[in-house]
Amino acid sequence: MTWRVRARVLDTAAHTLVMGALNVTPDSFSDGGRYADAESAVRRGLEMLEEGADLVDVGGESTRPGAEPVEAAEELRRVLPVVRGLAAAGAVVSIDTCKAEVAAAALAAGAAAVNDVTALGDPGMAGVVASAGAGLVLLHMQGTPRTMQVDPHYEDVVAEVARFLAGRAAAAQAAGIDPSCLCLDPGIGFGKGLEHNLALLRGIPELAAVGYPVLVGASRKRFLAGILGPLPPAERDAASAAAHVLAIAGGAAVIRVHNVVVGLQTARVADAIVRAVAARG
Ligand code: HH2
């Protein structure tokens, strides 16, 4: 399988792609405030590339539970210099935004994909993505970041998420987006309780069967502490790796991680076992 992001075709059959999460925000749950100025964010993005990230996902608005929305102008101020700097250095950049205006500016600045946690909630988004030939991540979320963890409810979470994502992929194509540009994400932690997250991680084969690459972002998320007890986000990398390995075994094509060194080792070892691809030696 492949994932097309503008001029590039990323080969998800060769190995699991590693997407580095880079939050240019004061309030992200894991790295908030660490890369809040453009210079340190670009430096961290370049470091992720050196560490082996296939893509760098730049975000200027936190989507953590309870997060407050950010105005487009402020989001643009945060992300544009970072997208520009990383794209100029040859990075494959995705822009983590739900605003068409921010996506358009980021694509003009060299981004290759849009990571939209509202799955085309902004009516202008599909046109922006289609006309750029950009990659698009469609994510499942129940509710909004402000409310999503209040009381998430599903009858059959895997079937409901698969149906939703198949519907959004169909809507994206109806709006002119090429199917080869699409990637689906169950949205771990986006309006899900612990059992929902675990069921979705177990249910990746059902999500992969929808027919598009599947991205899984379990990195440092709160459900891991729900299993292990209170662990600060920066100490959840081994736990994240366990979740990602099983997601890869289920057919995930992309993992989104904060710690790229750990993410790359996770992906390469899982690939060597699951896909019988030994990376080297
Ligand atoms: N998770 C977060 C943000 N964006 N995008 C995709 N496609 N999948 C995810 O699982 C995902 C995502 C939340 O993590 P993070 O960006 O580190 O935190 P915050 O939203 O607080 O900035």
Side-chain angles (χ1 to χ4, degrees):
M1 195 174 260
T2 56
W3 182 26
R4 195 155 73 77
V5 296
R6 301 189 96 169
R8 291 175 164 104
V9 178
L10 307 177
D11 184 357
T12 63
H15 64 80
T16 301
L17 302 175
V18 176
M19 171 187 274
L22 182 59
N23 293 308
V24 195
T25 58
D27 57 344
S28 288
F29 82 95
S30 166
D31 54 357
R34 274 191 79 178
Y35 313 113
D37 67 283
E39 202 179 312
S40 61
V42 170
R43 206 178 312 121
R44 174 62 186 137
L46 295 175
E47 185 179 57
M48 286 178 169
L49 286 185
E50 276 166 30
E51 290 169 350
D54 297 287
L55 306 97
V56 179
D57 186 40
V58 177
E61 177 177 39
S62 173
T63 51
R64 74 177 202 290
E68 293 291 336
V70 172
E71 294 292 328
E74 172 60 12
E75 200 178 328
L76 284 167
R77 187 193 66 75
R78 293 177 184 177
V79 297
L80 275 189
V82 181
V83 171
R84 207 173 283 124
L86 292 176
V92 181
V93 176
S94 61
I95 177 72
D96 187 347
T97 189
C98 53
K99 298 185 188 74
E101 179 186 347
V102 174
L107 291 168
V114 176
N115 175 19
D116 181 4
V117 301
T118 64
L120 303 177
D122 182 332
M125 185 65 98
V128 166
V129 172
S131 61
L136 176 65
V137 180
L138 294 166
L139 178 139
H140 175 276
M141 166 163 52
Q142 189 176 87
T144 66
R146 268 173 70 96
T147 62
M148 64 190 180
Q149 290 307 113
V150 174
D151 185 22
H153 180 79
Y154 303 84
E155 294 299 326
D156 179 342
V157 67
V158 178
E160 287 169 47
V161 168
R163 203 177 315 122
F164 170 86
L165 291 174
R168 298 318 292 155
Q173 286 171 67
I177 298 171
D178 195 275
S180 65
C181 294
L182 297 175
C183 181
L184 307 183
D185 185 334
I188 299 299
F190 285 83
K192 279 103 186 175
L194 173 59
E195 290 305 328
H196 302 135
N197 289 315
L198 300 180
L200 285 166
L201 288 164
R202 227 175 272 129
I204 299 295
E206 204 173 313
L207 302 175
V210 176
Y212 303 90
V214 171
L215 185 156
V216 171
S219 184
R220 299 185 175 177
K221 285 192 176 160
R222 192 189 293 179
F223 80 99
L224 299 165
I227 301 167
L228 297 169
L231 263 185
E235 292 174 30
R236 297 177 191 163
D237 287 335
S240 309
H244 287 144
V245 163
L246 290 166
I248 293 166
V254 190
I255 57 172
R256 181 182 181 277
V257 298
H258 298 90
N259 185 329
V260 171
V261 171
V262 170
L264 204 85
Q265 291 184 4
T266 303
R268 290 298 172 275
V269 172
D271 287 345
I273 299 165
V274 173
R275 308 172 183 222
V277 189
R280 47 183 113 243

